[in-house]
Amino acid sequence: MKKMYALISFLLSAVLLSSCGGKTLNVESEDVGDSKEDTELILWTFPVGNWGNPTAVASMLTDFHKEYPDIHVSVEYLTYDSGDEKINQAISDGCMPDLILEGPERLVANWGEKGCMVDLSELWESDTAGEIYDNIRKACQHRNGDYYVFPICMSAHCMAINYDMFKEAGALQYIDEETHTWTTEDFIEAVQALNAYGTAQGQDRSAGILYCKNQSGDQGTRALVNNLYGGTFTDAAHTFYTVDSEENRKALQLLYDLEGIAFEPSLSSADAIDLFCKKETAMCFCWNVSMEVQQTINHPDLDFEVFPMAFPTSEDTPKLQGGIWGFGIFDNGSQERIAAAKTFIRYMTENDVPYTRAVRASSYWPVRDMDNIYENDMLMTEYSIFTPYMGDYYQITPEWEKARTAWWQLLTKIGDGTDISEAVKDFPSPD
């Protein structure tokens, strides 16, 4: 009878919770349990690698439930198409999930800015937190001093070149194959060599394309422009945008003038990736390890060596755009559930075994210095070279969504012939 009462109570709570989220939740706990002291938590997760895969997540939760049988975690899997809308509606209805897996762009600059998140400063006092890279720590902290994210994984976006085409054009001399880096001058020389080679072969194609149909893949074009002459996208304190700077104007002018580089307002990043995989361009400015895996599937006839590269830079080291993903806790007013959610985060991040599983599930890399967790995976090991190059995570600057839109519109204006000085001067900045 006692078990039946507990089951009925749990089912009723699941129905109420699903009405907030807009669909039935996938319950990953093994047993409802009898204790009235048991705590039910709801985790909503965006598709960060296999954190969007119910089977993979269920396996991790099974181990958690064995260690903490009085905390039961149910999961709803969000998509990037509708996830933001669902969460905003849940906030409006006052029935947010307890836990959320995403990045500072949303947890700090959006929902944290709105006062919806719990301060996680307590978690940042652990020895493990002290090992987290400094640039990751800064990205997880709101300017008011509160931490709204505890990170689990990171990735640095790069670009890619057609190694075979570079070899045929005599352009391999302009890249450092060991460090996967090159200078701005090397980049210019390589584009000129590729352009001359294409002309000699009677081929009319671009060495590289600045796609700007929409904001997709904009991390690549931003990193390209910022690295060329040491520019930045925002100030160091993430309070305003610095697109209209001498360094950025110089970089944009170089790209516009450089024969072999094309501004293409009609193309998205997906279009540019497809052209690269079809050998119609020699380089692609939107790339990462998951992209290589996916494009190998999308293009089974891909018959050249894809060689990942950092963006060309005039500085000592490149500064790549990165992604950070971790856990946040929505403030639902229940100290019991907040405490249980912190226990869940500690379990997933403070012990090496569950933490390694959590990171591997993301298909990204640890946010602290660890031995190579992908020792037997040649592809992941190759791309791990880029993690030390991850630069400032400025996506927490106010009015970020407006800035993303303004960026691709700026590139479109330049591609359509607008003078660069005119195009950049109206770039928005927070009030």
Side-chain angles (χ1 to χ4, degrees):
M1 186 69 180
K2 194 174 180 182
K3 283 189 176 182
M4 179 62 70
Y5 175 78
L7 178 59
I8 292 171
S9 298
F10 176 72
L11 290 174
L12 285 172
S13 66
V15 170
L16 290 173
L17 287 166
S18 67
S19 69
C20 287
K23 75 174 187 181
T24 302
L25 296 170
N26 297 305
V27 179
E28 305 294 352
S29 56
E30 293 179 297
D31 183 62
V32 174
D34 299 335
S35 174
K36 292 182 180 179
E37 297 180 359
D38 288 357
T39 303
E40 302 290 343
L41 295 179
I42 303 298
L43 164 66
W44 285 7
T45 174
F46 280 85
V48 181
N50 275 327
W51 276 94
N53 182 321
T55 302
V57 175
S59 177
M60 288 185 284
L61 291 184
T62 295
D63 290 342
F64 171 76
H65 291 144
K66 287 178 180 177
E67 188 156 341
Y68 295 96
D70 58 338
I71 302 175
H72 303 284
V73 182
S74 302
V75 186
E76 179 165 352
Y77 300 92
L78 306 178
T79 69
Y80 282 111
D81 289 335
S82 62
D84 289 317
E85 182 181 349
K86 286 194 175 195
I87 291 177
N88 290 335
Q89 186 62 52
I91 291 172
S92 178
D93 293 342
C95 55
M96 299 93 76
D98 301 289
L99 286 153
I100 180 76
L101 176 65
E102 233 305 278
E105 178 182 335
R106 288 176 170 82
L107 275 62
V108 175
N110 188 350
W111 305 313
E113 181 76 17
K114 294 174 181 175
C116 301
M117 309 303 296
V118 172
D119 178 19
L120 303 180
S121 294
E122 173 188 342
L123 300 181
W124 284 89
E125 296 172 358
S126 70
D127 292 339
T128 302
E131 300 172 359
I132 294 173
Y133 301 123
D134 190 52
N135 60 338
I136 306 295
R137 171 186 286 269
K138 290 178 180 177
C140 296
Q141 187 176 32
H142 192 272
R143 60 184 179 279
N144 66 9
D146 291 349
Y147 288 94
Y148 296 135
V149 185
F150 198 89
I152 59 170
C153 60
M154 61 176 283
S155 180
H157 301 291
C158 60
M159 60 175 290
I161 65 170
N162 181 324
Y163 186 92
D164 300 352
M165 198 177 294
F166 264 63
K167 184 176 181 179
E168 293 167 4
L172 287 180
Q173 61 183 306
Y174 302 118
I175 69 171
D176 187 323
E177 295 188 44
E178 182 177 352
T179 63
H180 293 243
T181 61
W182 47 350
T183 67
T184 298
E185 290 304 315
D186 288 332
F187 171 74
I188 295 171
E189 295 282 357
V191 171
Q192 291 173 340
L194 289 162
N195 195 55
Y197 173 77
T199 301
Q201 298 294 312
Q203 299 166 340
D204 182 20
R205 63 187 178 197
S206 299
I209 290 174
L210 270 76
Y211 47 87
C212 44
K213 182 178 181 180
N214 51 39
Q215 69 182 31
S216 68
D218 55 354
Q219 72 277 356
T221 52
R222 293 195 310 267
L224 174 64
V225 171
N226 290 160
N227 272 281
L228 284 172
Y229 292 110
T232 62
F233 203 75
T234 75
D235 66 312
H238 307 136
T239 58
F240 62 91
Y241 295 96
T242 55
V243 172
D244 185 6
S245 68
E246 179 181 354
E247 295 85 359
N248 289 332
R249 290 194 300 270
K250 185 178 179 181
L252 288 164
Q253 193 66 58
L254 169 69
L255 293 168
Y256 186 78
D257 293 339
L258 191 56
E259 193 170 353
I261 299 296
F263 283 73
E264 292 291 351
S266 64
L267 297 182
S268 67
S269 60
D271 298 325
I273 292 165
D274 189 57
L275 290 173
F276 173 70
C277 292
K278 291 178 178 177
K279 299 193 289 188
E280 294 185 33
T281 61
M283 60 184 75
C284 181
F285 300 126
C286 180
W287 204 258
N288 55 40
V289 65
S290 59
M291 190 71 66
E292 178 156 348
V293 173
Q294 187 60 48
Q295 294 310 312
T296 301
I297 297 171
N298 293 348
H299 297 272
D301 56 345
L302 193 127
D303 62 354
F304 64 89
E305 181 181 352
V306 174
F307 195 81
M309 288 288 297
F311 289 91
T313 182
S314 59
E315 305 287 290
D316 291 335
T317 58
K319 296 179 177 62
L320 304 185
Q321 271 286 273
I324 301 170
W325 295 270
F327 295 109
I329 300 175
F330 278 104
D331 190 352
N332 283 312
S334 169
Q335 294 306 309
E336 178 187 11
R337 284 158 60 190
I338 290 172
K342 288 180 179 178
T343 297
F344 176 83
I345 294 174
R346 287 192 179 99
Y347 172 83
M348 287 292 176
T349 60
E350 291 186 1
N351 300 310
D352 282 354
V353 173
Y355 177 61
T356 298
R357 287 192 70 190
V359 176
R360 288 180 66 94
S362 74
S363 299
Y364 291 125
W365 288 271
V367 293
R368 53 189 170 92
D369 191 20
M370 297 180 68
D371 292 336
N372 182 11
I373 66 172
Y374 296 108
E375 187 175 357
N376 298 317
D377 189 321
M378 292 179 61
L379 186 66
M380 293 298 290
T381 298
E382 178 185 26
Y383 277 83
S384 68
I385 195 172
F386 297 114
T387 54
Y389 300 144
M390 181 171 164
D392 180 35
Y393 188 95
Y394 52 71
Q395 295 95 305
I396 56 175
T397 306
E399 299 186 16
W400 170 243
E401 281 304 313
K402 289 183 180 179
R404 291 191 72 186
T405 299
W407 176 250
W408 67 261
Q409 290 177 342
L410 180 147
L411 296 181
T412 297
K413 291 177 184 177
I414 295 172
D416 288 338
T418 301
D419 181 79
I420 288 170
S421 296
E422 288 295 317
V424 299
K425 72 178 183 179
D426 293 328
F427 199 88
S429 201
D431 295 332

